[in-house]
Amino acid sequence: MGARIHITKLAAADRQLRAAMRMYFAEEDELAIHTVAYAAYGLLRDLKAERGLDEAADTYLASIFYVVRDYRRGALPMHLANDPDFMAAVAALADQIPIGPDSKYRDFSATASPEAVRHFWRQRGKIANFLKHADRDPAEALVEDDLDNLVLLLQAYSAYRDLARTACTNEGTVFELYIGSSDFPIREPESTVGKMCSMLASHPESERRSVCMQLIRELNAQEIDP
């Protein structure tokens, strides 16, 4: 009898998250993507809590930190920088928080009230709960436009990076490139990452996900056949 393979919770979340990313880039069913991605996110949330980390508070912090830091750097994407109402709100926020252009995310922390945490998970888990339960309101319907798989994948991937000490997976690397390709202008366009983001950005948005899927296939094939 062969050796039995034991899978840790983090390894399970890693596999689920990688699968959800592949499903997203392959443009598979959005509900199926959400189910797999949220399963990974739930594991990662609990693993962070076990280490004394609050995923809700971390998400709130990240949403503020990177916007304010990029505002200080003058590096916000053009569609945000050209929105006067958004910029006024960010400027007011920046005046209250000591985040500078060279600040590091790891140097900051945040806490969230129990009410804010409950609100976060109630909103974040709304679709997952709809897909999981049919006994409470079997006639309930879901508004398909409420699906936000890209945001869910971003949050799950960020939570994974908070926990993992290993290098990025191929799926994670391509996911980061995909996110970077949406920046305008592309950040550090002469760097290797910047050139890859520019390559993706040169494709119409309707084709970009399929290009990412092909990149993942090629990278994974290289691991199998070095």
Side-chain angles (χ1 to χ4, degrees):
M1 182 176 178
R4 301 177 69 181
I5 297 175
H6 296 268
I7 303 171
T8 66
K9 297 282 189 176
L10 183 58
D14 173 40
R15 287 169 59 170
Q16 289 174 318
L17 182 56
R18 293 174 69 182
M21 288 176 175
R22 292 193 300 271
M23 292 168 70
Y24 178 78
F25 289 131
E27 300 186 61
E28 296 187 18
D29 184 82
E30 294 291 338
L31 292 176
I33 296 168
H34 196 96
T35 298
V36 177
Y38 195 83
Y41 195 31
L43 282 175
L44 294 166
R45 171 198 61 200
D46 294 344
L47 289 170
K48 287 187 68 171
E50 181 68 21
R51 299 187 189 184
L53 303 172
D54 186 334
E55 172 59 16
D58 287 348
T59 300
Y60 287 134
L61 173 61
S63 66
I64 294 171
F65 175 84
Y66 290 109
V67 168
V68 173
R69 189 194 65 178
D70 287 355
Y71 166 77
R72 296 291 193 194
R73 290 179 174 182
L76 285 170
M78 292 296 292
H79 71 281
L80 297 178
N82 290 334
D83 184 333
D85 292 336
F86 177 83
M87 292 300 287
V90 173
L93 189 62
D95 287 341
Q96 303 174 47
I97 303 175
I99 296 174
D102 299 318
S103 293
K104 305 295 183 185
Y105 178 78
R106 63 176 177 269
D107 295 332
F108 292 81
S109 62
T111 58
S113 68
E115 181 181 353
V117 171
R118 285 193 296 271
H119 175 76
F120 176 85
W121 289 113
R122 186 164 55 247
Q123 293 301 113
R124 180 69 279 173
K126 181 170 63 175
I127 294 173
N129 288 332
F130 171 87
L131 297 172
K132 185 166 57 175
H133 300 291
D135 56 333
R136 299 172 186 172
D137 191 352
E140 185 182 4
L142 176 70
V143 178
E144 192 166 0
D145 289 346
D146 288 344
L147 281 165
D148 55 352
N149 285 331
L150 182 57
V151 174
L152 174 58
L153 286 169
L154 273 167
Q155 291 174 333
Y157 183 64
S158 178
Y160 175 77
R161 297 298 294 160
D162 287 341
L163 293 167
R165 294 291 180 264
T166 56
C168 287
T169 62
N170 293 332
E171 288 82 356
T173 297
V174 174
F175 185 69
E176 290 185 17
L177 293 173
Y178 177 75
I179 297 302
S181 71
S182 299
D183 287 339
F184 183 78
I186 297 293
R187 302 185 187 196
E188 300 181 6
E190 297 306 314
S191 67
T192 300
V193 170
K195 289 177 181 178
M196 290 294 293
C197 290
S198 296
M199 180 277 292
L200 284 175
S202 69
H203 292 272
E205 179 62 33
S206 59
E207 299 176 5
R208 214 169 291 172
R209 283 162 70 172
S210 64
V211 174
C212 287
M213 188 67 245
Q214 183 59 35
L215 280 174
I216 290 172
R217 290 194 185 103
E218 291 173 0
L219 290 170
N220 287 342
Q222 289 174 14
E223 292 184 351
I224 297 172
D225 299 312

